[in-house]
Amino acid sequence: MCDGQQTLPKGRAAHELELRSGEFELAVQLGEVRTVPPGSADDPPGAGVLGGRRVPAEEIARLQAEPGFPEALRERIRTVGTTEAARQLGVGPGRVLRLTRAGCLAPVRFYVNRYGAVVWLYLAAEVADFAEREPDLLRGNTPAAMRVMLDGGQDWRARQWRSRRVAQLLGQTDDPWESAAVIAALLPPEELASVVGNPLERSVLRRLRPTLATMIIATPAAREACERVLTADEFDEVLWYRVHLARALEEARREDPGRVRRMFPVELAARPGQPPSFRNSPSWTTETSSLPSRS
């Protein structure tokens, strides 16, 4: 028996919960399995608390004691692709594709197939909830506003995945520099450099960068497709992340001003009399309370 203070590494926890590694990863991301940091924010240096979280033994015991374990847990994290979702909803795959492109259903996972195409996966439970909530969208003509958007080439799947993943990662840390690193992870390099003018601060954010997605990348085409999903692209989304990165960085500097010095003492020692300059980081005042969404 394990006492309530013990924690398990992710591999052992997945075994105890009778989940495959991908299922366990998704369960953690969705908050179905609670995790805790392994130690202090600086141990190991640069790895980030987000990278090595563990599962309390009491969390394992709680889930094992639930009625229907492990099938009930597996059902809560079961995912479906477009074709399976169409069967579940009783409509054609084409309609599901249009609904997902319009942002009516937010993907929880993706992978890149051998042809370099992104394949999106959705929670089966959320598909069922959508059917109950929006039955009119499953029958009849597509609403005019949605049709205009789709005819214009809009596709909200990647943006909604990014938004969801960022929210998950921000919910796992109270460390201000790690929070900034989560937001920075979605910005193209040139946008990151524009917001974070100091190169050592950018190095801190890179070392604390969380894992956004775990998958096997077999070809250059697959790597390129994956990078497109992991990087904000349209103007308003990039602006949202710029604004919130600037705010998160200001908070990190205020709450933990010594992080750069602790992580890069050698680099700072090589520049005597030249403390890090923060003047190149713009101060944003745009009010953005939430990511744009279509749901």
Side-chain angles (χ1 to χ4, degrees):
M1 293 293 291
C2 296
D3 63 51
Q5 300 303 311
Q6 288 184 296
T7 61
L8 283 68
K10 292 180 178 180
R12 172 69 185 282
H15 176 76
E16 293 291 333
L17 294 174
E18 302 182 38
L19 297 175
R20 294 190 294 270
S21 60
E23 292 175 326
F24 177 81
E25 181 183 10
L26 181 58
V28 170
Q29 292 176 5
L30 295 173
E32 294 288 346
V33 177
R34 182 175 66 88
T35 62
V36 295
S40 70
D42 299 313
D43 183 22
V49 170
L50 293 171
R53 297 177 71 86
R54 295 171 67 90
V55 181
E58 61 184 9
E59 177 72 354
I60 300 293
R62 179 187 70 82
L63 290 165
Q64 289 175 335
E66 286 185 342
F69 174 85
E71 287 77 14
L73 175 58
R74 288 201 191 106
E75 182 59 26
R76 293 200 297 272
I77 61 172
R78 183 169 65 89
T79 59
V80 294
T82 301
T83 301
E84 295 170 281
R87 284 198 296 266
Q88 183 176 341
L89 294 172
V91 298
R95 181 172 288 266
V96 173
L97 178 60
R98 290 174 67 82
L99 290 172
T100 56
R101 286 181 56 209
C104 296
L105 283 167
V108 292
R109 303 202 81 177
F110 75 95
Y111 66 90
V112 182
N113 66 20
R114 60 181 176 175
Y115 304 108
V118 177
V119 179
W120 297 102
L121 299 173
Y122 307 86
L123 274 182
E126 292 185 356
V127 173
D129 289 343
F130 173 76
E132 294 183 5
R133 189 176 67 252
E134 300 286 356
D136 292 344
L137 290 179
L138 301 178
R139 303 287 184 272
N141 296 327
T142 302
M146 185 183 297
R147 188 165 58 250
V148 169
M149 184 186 75
L150 293 171
D151 290 345
Q154 286 290 315
D155 187 342
W156 284 73
R157 291 173 294 181
R159 175 185 288 213
Q160 287 199 315
W161 180 86
R162 289 189 289 265
S163 174
R164 189 170 202 159
R165 188 72 182 111
V166 165
Q168 291 165 350
L169 289 165
L170 290 177
Q172 290 183 356
T173 182
D174 294 323
D175 181 281
W177 285 96
E178 287 181 353
S179 295
V182 168
I183 302 170
L186 276 295
L187 283 173
E190 65 277 9
E191 297 289 348
L192 177 60
S194 175
V195 178
V196 189
N198 184 274
L200 289 183
E201 288 188 330
R202 291 199 301 273
S203 296
V204 170
L205 298 180
R206 280 194 295 269
R207 288 184 63 178
L208 295 175
R209 178 188 174 101
T211 299
L212 296 173
T214 304
M215 64 186 66
I216 298 174
I217 303 297
T219 66
R223 183 177 298 107
E224 183 179 344
C226 183
E227 285 300 319
R228 285 198 300 269
V229 173
L230 301 182
T231 307
D233 53 3
E234 295 191 18
F235 173 80
D236 61 329
E237 185 188 13
V238 170
L239 177 61
W240 190 95
Y241 286 117
R242 285 181 58 108
V243 168
H244 284 269
L245 175 58
R247 292 175 176 174
L249 197 57
E250 289 177 0
E251 182 178 355
R253 292 167 181 156
R254 183 173 61 252
E255 294 189 9
D256 187 2
R259 178 64 69 91
V260 174
R261 186 170 299 278
R262 293 198 305 276
M263 292 182 67
F264 297 99
V266 175
E267 288 84 346
L268 286 170
R271 299 165 53 188
Q274 298 183 30
S277 172
F278 305 141
R279 291 180 297 174
N280 292 331
S281 297
S283 175
W284 293 89
T285 58
T286 306
E287 180 59 36
T288 52
S289 59
S290 62
L291 275 172
S293 64
R294 308 278 305 191
S295 59

